Amino acid sequence: MELTDDNLRTLSDYLQHTLSPDVNVRRPAEKFLESVEVNQNYPLLLLHLVDKQDVHLTIRVAGAVAFKNYIKRNWKVDDDAGDRIHIQDREAVKQLIVNLMLHSPEAIQKQLSDAVSIIGRYDFPNKWPDLISQMVEKFATGDFHVINGVLHTAHSIFKRYRFEFKSQELWTEIKFVLDKFAKPLTELFQVTMTLANVHANNTDALKVIYNSLLIICKVFYSLNFQDLPEFFEDNMKIWMENFHSLLTADVKCLQTSDDDDEPGVMEQLKSQVCDNIALYAQKYDEEFQSYLPQFVTSVWNVLVTTDLGPKYDMLVSNALQFLATVADRTHYGYLFEDVNVLTSICEKVIIPNMAFRVSDEELFVDNAEEYIRRDIEGSDVDTRRRAACDLVRVLSRYFEGKITEIFGSYVQVMLQKYEEAPVQNWRDKDTVLYLVTSLASKGQTQRHGTTQTNQLVDLTSFTTEHVLPELQKDASDTQPVLIADSIKYVMIFRTVLPREMVVGSIPQLVRHLIAYSQVVHTYAACAIEKILVMKTSDGSPVVKRDELVPVAPDLMNNLFKAMTLPGSHENEYIMKAVMRSFSSLQEHVIPFLGELLPKLTEKLSVVARNPSRPHFNHYLFEALSISIRIVCVADSNAVTSFEEVLFPIFQEILQQDIQEFVPYVFQILSLLLGQHKSGAIPEPYMVLFPCLLAPVLWERPGNIHPLVQLLQTFVQTGAAQISASQKVSGLLGVFQKLIASKVNDHEGFYLLQSLIEHFPDNTLSPYMKQVFVLLFHRLSSSRTTKFVKGLIIFFSLYAVKYGAGSLVGMIDSIQPEMFGRVLEKVIIPDVQKISGGVERKIAAVGITSLLCDSKEMMDGSYSHLWASLLQALIGLFELPEDESSLPDDHYIEVEDTPGYQAAYSQLAFANKKDPDPLHGISDPRLHLAQSLYRLSVACPGRVSPLLRTGLSDANRAYLKNYLDAAGVQLV
């Protein structure tokens, strides 16, 4: 693509179309841009368009967004797909982007800053060493629009230092940054603080200056997060004195109005200062000690003088977190141990910040999703309530008795106020429930809720007296907030409350599923799901099936009715509860499915038009999967009914290429096909089969595992039909593509294993030599641990299926004496790396076959390796897994966990149990003993001497145990 005016106009038109609300206009434009992005000059064309002043700003911003997304998709070089950006374009982008970003309007600057950050993640500092120098130069311009652009970019690049694991590479990068950036940043900080005083009466200037100070403080946090840099330690006085000035500053002209709910720059700045000093108090306590007392005083003043307005939430939250950090240091215990101090903290700081404010009530009613996200999803990290709760927990850790006593008296007063006037004083009850939860819960997990409690709080009696009565009320009789609080309370303490109390709450929770309040019916669904998933110590469900069956009609009816209520048409918590209820009821759900399945499929048709709720969609497919499993266990012929309903929807999803849903469709097709009798693939599936081999489907990482799973099901169900349809070469073409990939080679081995297991010998024999050649080519070009493990398992399965002699002969036909090198360089040194019960069994039985059934191993040119191979096999049985890595492993960018891929979500209820091709062999140790016995009978007097001279004493002892357990003795 040339940098011409015509191309710029074309690009501008297509970007305009991507903004269209009409999907028939938008999607073709998106597809076109995706198709041309591999062309040289495409990113430069985007940048030139973004920089053109005569183009409408909307188009320029769309271009900047497209550029950022292009960088996000393509800048990282995929080891399998190769580099999708021309090298000249890479260099040109890095030369252009910083200056372009700095003189662009703010909306464009933000997108380009993000792009710089993404490029920096991969190229900085090694491939972009002058980036910091380019940015630092701009500090001298004095233009704060430019300086702020630099600071934003620095912040976006350095922010990852807060989350990265410690490593030598990380230390080296941070040192490189500090050497070039710490001194200019400190000087800029000082200059900017001076300018704040010089322009004290110029509101416009102060807005820009304090915005700069805010970003400087954020960059400071990132650069200091991993360790205390020497430069900042030497200049701590400069930073801390100025931080204190900022924390206590009162800049009237920058104060936001009382009606404004969003934090202004001063609130954000003071909040970040609290973050910074909390970091030093927590991690660099000794160096920070002399500054701490003045900060404690100032933070206390901030807390007692700041009102309850939402705009101050982040500031108050971070101030409370600072106090919690200080209180969590035993040597500062003297600051808090006095009862008067603790009472003052409780009265003036904790209880006011736990109060349910008008703004919280507005959120509860008008933005239920945000309320839920903050309240039960744990994203309330920065809320006042969470910070106050954390402070309570820290103080309880050191002064449990005093804190419980102090709060106990407040709890009684607030409960009394509520009892006297429930309608007016319901907020007091809400505060009590939150306070008791904070006080009683000492340790909790997402899966189990609270697991440790404060022994001074009697949860059972509190629940009986103050929680269950609220649950039993109707929404019309009490505040919905209190019902939501009570449901949340049961949810949090579900593992520590008596079983009868938790199970007994289910009918009330089912009743609240149809509450009009979105928060209430969502919490009810969430609580039901979490209770149903609970297990006893022996692994059985806490809620017995016969306890659930009586409430099943109301449960099913109310769950589906809840999805018709405002705001909950695609409520993920409700759909998750549907899935869990189906799973818990099993065959008892069948009577309801006649009515419910049409509702689920209708829901699928609706969401397929515009998938926007990934969790809801996932649980919807899970619910369909569990329905198929349950019904087909009871009646295998019912699979055709599911196919009749689902195939038209699936066809639409595949034709429209709805990327989010395609992997799910493959998984459910696999589940459906697996319900058919072996040897008979129905016609609609055979029509689909050639399409599954199309290369374009295999380009998307999210498709690969479900596609392999589906192809395996085809092979297992109808190998003869596939063979007759002349598609074996197509399957092997897929194998060839997968095996060449370091990320997906294990999927290639899965497919190959299925082919070997299920195809007749004569079908594969014409192709097998080429398969081995491909495998050895990959071994020589990239020897990763994952590939070597897969290769050894494949060799072992081949030896079991076709005979050890056939394996030796095949490898030696590629190159004479090659099998000996495979034993010495691959199997013997690396068999210990194999993990997984079935995989280790296949390797063990395959190696046993080589030892006991191969003439070449016993009498031929490889007999000198016989004892070494047996030693390796006994090591596989007795030694821990070898977790050492091979040199090429660092190229693998994803976890070595089969099934995980970006953009791929495994359906738990559609997943098949990994088949065991050797299910007839229960214990490979006994199999080895029996095979050695047969060998000794065939070769009398030869095996025992080999064992005496070739095995270590320990391994001979292990082998004797195997022989004794099998009840055999060698001849």
Side-chain angles (χ1 to χ4, degrees), residues 486-546:
S486 303
I487 295 171
K488 180 186 169 191
Y489 179 97
V490 171
M491 200 172 3
I492 288 174
F493 293 113
R494 64 189 182 276
T495 57
V496 293
L497 289 172
R499 176 192 174 281
E500 298 72 26
M501 194 175 273
V502 175
V503 176
S505 69
I506 290 177
Q508 300 302 334
L509 296 173
V510 169
R511 195 167 56 82
H512 289 304
L513 282 171
I514 51 174
Y516 186 79
S517 164
Q518 187 181 343
V519 176
V520 172
H521 64 242
T522 299
Y523 280 21
C526 186
I528 289 168
E529 192 276 331
K530 288 184 182 299
I531 291 170
L532 291 182
V533 89
M534 287 169 65
K535 297 280 190 279
T536 61
S537 56
D538 65 0
S540 63
V542 166
V543 182
K544 308 304 177 197
R545 202 164 293 162
D546 56 2

Side-chain angles (χ1 to χ4, degrees), residues 445-660:
T445 66
Q446 185 69 29
R447 184 177 177 83
H448 300 292
T450 291
T451 53
Q452 265 185 299
T453 57
N454 179 338
Q455 298 304 308
L456 303 175
V457 179
D458 185 349
L459 283 173
T460 304
S461 62
F462 184 85
T463 307
T464 304
E465 293 169 27
H466 303 293
V467 177
L468 295 182
E470 294 294 342
L471 269 185
Q472 287 155 7
K473 292 177 184 175
D474 287 322
S476 56
D477 299 334
T478 187
Q479 261 289 337
V481 174
L482 294 183
I483 297 178
D485 288 343
S486 303
I487 295 171
K488 180 186 169 191
Y489 179 97
V490 171
M491 200 172 3
I492 288 174
F493 293 113
R494 64 189 182 276
T495 57
V496 293
L497 289 172
R499 176 192 174 281
E500 298 72 26
M501 194 175 273
V502 175
V503 176
S505 69
I506 290 177
Q508 300 302 334
L509 296 173
V510 169
R511 195 167 56 82
H512 289 304
L513 282 171
I514 51 174
Y516 186 79
S517 164
Q518 187 181 343
V519 176
V520 172
H521 64 242
T522 299
Y523 280 21
C526 186
I528 289 168
E529 192 276 331
K530 288 184 182 299
I531 291 170
L532 291 182
V533 89
M534 287 169 65
K535 297 280 190 279
T536 61
S537 56
D538 65 0
S540 63
V542 166
V543 182
K544 308 304 177 197
R545 202 164 293 162
D546 56 2
E547 293 173 310
L548 193 59
V549 168
V551 297
D554 287 341
L555 174 62
M556 293 293 103
N557 186 46
N558 290 3
L559 280 170
F560 278 80
K561 197 177 283 186
M563 281 190 281
T564 65
L565 295 170
S568 286
H569 292 213
E570 294 179 29
N571 187 316
E572 66 186 74
Y573 294 97
I574 298 173
M575 189 53 77
K576 191 175 185 182
V578 168
M579 172 201 79
R580 193 70 63 202
S581 301
F582 283 10
S583 176
S584 298
L585 286 165
Q586 287 294 316
E587 70 276 8
H588 296 286
V589 82
I590 293 175
F592 306 105
L593 290 179
E595 182 185 346
L596 300 183
L597 281 175
K599 293 180 180 179
L600 286 177
T601 51
E602 172 61 25
K603 191 67 79 174
L604 178 58
S605 296
V606 171
V607 298
R609 289 173 208 145
N610 183 24
S612 57
R613 306 282 177 129
H615 290 104
F616 176 86
N617 298 336
H618 182 86
Y619 297 131
L620 171 56
F621 279 104
E622 289 281 20
L624 288 168
S625 302
I626 188 68
S627 303
I628 294 166
R629 279 197 183 281
I630 291 169
V631 173
C632 291
V633 165
D635 176 12
S636 58
N637 295 320
V639 65
T640 54
S641 304
F642 282 103
E643 288 167 346
E644 285 170 11
V645 174
L646 292 173
F647 273 20
I649 304 172
F650 288 176
Q651 188 174 1
E652 184 74 13
I653 289 168
L654 294 174
Q655 285 175 346
Q656 293 290 324
D657 190 24
I658 300 165
Q659 295 185 24
E660 300 92 331

Side-chain angles (χ1 to χ4, degrees), residues 315-538:
L315 170 57
V316 171
S317 168
N318 284 354
L320 286 167
Q321 291 292 357
F322 170 73
L323 278 190
T325 300
V326 175
D328 207 14
R329 295 286 174 278
T330 48
H331 49 277
Y332 295 129
Y334 69 90
L335 292 171
F336 301 93
E337 63 189 1
D338 186 272
V339 171
N340 295 324
V341 172
L342 289 173
T343 303
S344 184
I345 290 173
C346 295
E347 182 184 329
K348 294 180 179 175
V349 172
I350 292 173
I351 287 177
N353 285 301
M354 280 190 175
F356 195 80
R357 301 165 299 169
V358 172
S359 59
D360 297 320
E361 188 177 0
E362 288 170 354
L363 198 66
F364 184 95
V365 174
D366 300 331
N367 192 353
E369 285 188 17
E370 178 61 18
Y371 183 90
I372 292 162
R373 194 176 66 82
R374 292 183 186 183
D375 195 42
I376 62 170
E377 289 183 10
S379 65
D380 62 338
V381 177
D382 298 323
T383 64
R384 293 173 184 248
R385 281 191 141 187
R386 171 58 67 91
C389 176
D390 289 345
L391 183 54
V392 169
R393 286 192 180 135
V394 170
L395 293 173
S396 296
R397 197 176 305 146
Y398 298 102
F399 317 105
E400 187 170 65
K402 292 177 184 176
I403 285 289
T404 306
E405 187 179 337
I406 292 165
F407 277 131
S409 59
Y410 283 108
V411 164
Q412 291 307 319
V413 169
M414 287 188 283
L415 284 174
Q416 184 63 39
K417 285 174 69 179
Y418 173 70
E419 296 297 336
E420 288 168 1
V423 176
Q424 291 78 22
N425 297 331
W426 63 268
R427 293 176 197 278
D428 290 289
K429 177 76 177 274
D430 171 86
T431 304
V432 165
L433 289 168
Y434 200 90
L435 186 53
V436 171
T437 303
S438 307
L439 202 56
S441 178
K442 291 171 71 175
Q444 66 182 57
T445 66
Q446 185 69 29
R447 184 177 177 83
H448 300 292
T450 291
T451 53
Q452 265 185 299
T453 57
N454 179 338
Q455 298 304 308
L456 303 175
V457 179
D458 185 349
L459 283 173
T460 304
S461 62
F462 184 85
T463 307
T464 304
E465 293 169 27
H466 303 293
V467 177
L468 295 182
E470 294 294 342
L471 269 185
Q472 287 155 7
K473 292 177 184 175
D474 287 322
S476 56
D477 299 334
T478 187
Q479 261 289 337
V481 174
L482 294 183
I483 297 178
D485 288 343
S486 303
I487 295 171
K488 180 186 169 191
Y489 179 97
V490 171
M491 200 172 3
I492 288 174
F493 293 113
R494 64 189 182 276
T495 57
V496 293
L497 289 172
R499 176 192 174 281
E500 298 72 26
M501 194 175 273
V502 175
V503 176
S505 69
I506 290 177
Q508 300 302 334
L509 296 173
V510 169
R511 195 167 56 82
H512 289 304
L513 282 171
I514 51 174
Y516 186 79
S517 164
Q518 187 181 343
V519 176
V520 172
H521 64 242
T522 299
Y523 280 21
C526 186
I528 289 168
E529 192 276 331
K530 288 184 182 299
I531 291 170
L532 291 182
V533 89
M534 287 169 65
K535 297 280 190 279
T536 61
S537 56
D538 65 0

Side-chain angles (χ1 to χ4, degrees), residues 125-346:
N126 297 335
K127 295 180 186 173
W128 204 359
D130 58 343
L131 173 62
I132 298 292
S133 304
Q134 274 183 282
M135 295 199 301
V136 167
E137 283 170 11
K138 310 298 178 189
F139 287 169
T141 62
D143 180 344
F144 272 90
H145 175 73
V146 170
I147 290 170
N148 281 357
V150 169
L151 289 170
H152 273 296
T153 305
H155 173 50
S156 63
I157 293 172
F158 305 152
K159 191 165 54 177
R160 68 183 181 84
Y161 299 158
R162 305 176 183 190
F163 318 111
E164 295 268 329
F165 288 114
K166 289 178 165 59
S167 68
Q168 189 55 49
E169 188 180 357
L170 182 66
W171 293 128
T172 305
E173 181 181 326
I174 292 175
K175 184 180 184 310
F176 175 85
V177 170
L178 289 166
D179 288 346
K180 290 179 174 288
F181 203 75
K183 189 169 185 288
L185 183 72
T186 305
E187 290 168 351
L188 178 67
F189 184 45
Q190 289 177 286
V191 167
T192 313
M193 287 296 295
T194 304
L195 286 172
N197 293 325
V198 170
H199 296 283
N201 298 316
N202 184 339
T203 303
D204 291 337
L206 286 179
K207 279 181 185 171
V208 177
I209 288 166
Y210 276 96
N211 266 304
S212 296
L213 288 168
L214 171 60
I215 316 168
I216 289 169
C217 288
K218 289 181 177 181
V219 172
F220 173 91
Y221 187 87
S222 299
L223 294 180
N224 282 267
F225 190 86
Q226 288 283 342
D227 202 356
L228 178 57
E230 188 179 343
F231 181 88
F232 286 110
E233 185 178 354
D234 293 343
N235 291 275
M236 194 183 294
K237 190 171 188 290
I238 293 170
W239 286 93
M240 292 306 151
E241 286 181 354
N242 283 310
F243 282 164
H244 191 259
S245 299
L246 292 173
L247 190 60
T248 55
D250 182 18
V251 186
K252 301 282 188 209
C253 62
L254 294 183
Q255 287 179 353
T256 51
S257 70
D258 292 340
D259 298 334
D260 202 336
D261 284 349
E262 293 301 315
V265 67
M266 290 308 296
E267 288 80 42
Q268 293 179 60
L269 180 55
K270 290 184 179 188
S271 172
Q272 186 60 49
V273 168
C274 287
D275 248 356
N276 292 355
I277 59 176
L279 175 72
Y280 266 56
Q282 186 177 14
K283 300 182 82 169
Y284 317 125
D285 188 22
E286 192 179 326
E287 296 83 354
F288 182 62
Q289 208 160 0
S290 61
Y291 299 99
L292 187 128
Q294 64 175 348
F295 278 115
V296 169
T297 304
S298 299
V299 167
W300 176 261
N301 288 333
V302 165
L303 286 169
V304 295
T305 57
T306 303
D307 68 36
L308 294 174
K311 64 184 171 188
Y312 300 115
D313 284 2
M314 180 75 82
L315 170 57
V316 171
S317 168
N318 284 354
L320 286 167
Q321 291 292 357
F322 170 73
L323 278 190
T325 300
V326 175
D328 207 14
R329 295 286 174 278
T330 48
H331 49 277
Y332 295 129
Y334 69 90
L335 292 171
F336 301 93
E337 63 189 1
D338 186 272
V339 171
N340 295 324
V341 172
L342 289 173
T343 303
S344 184
I345 290 173
C346 295

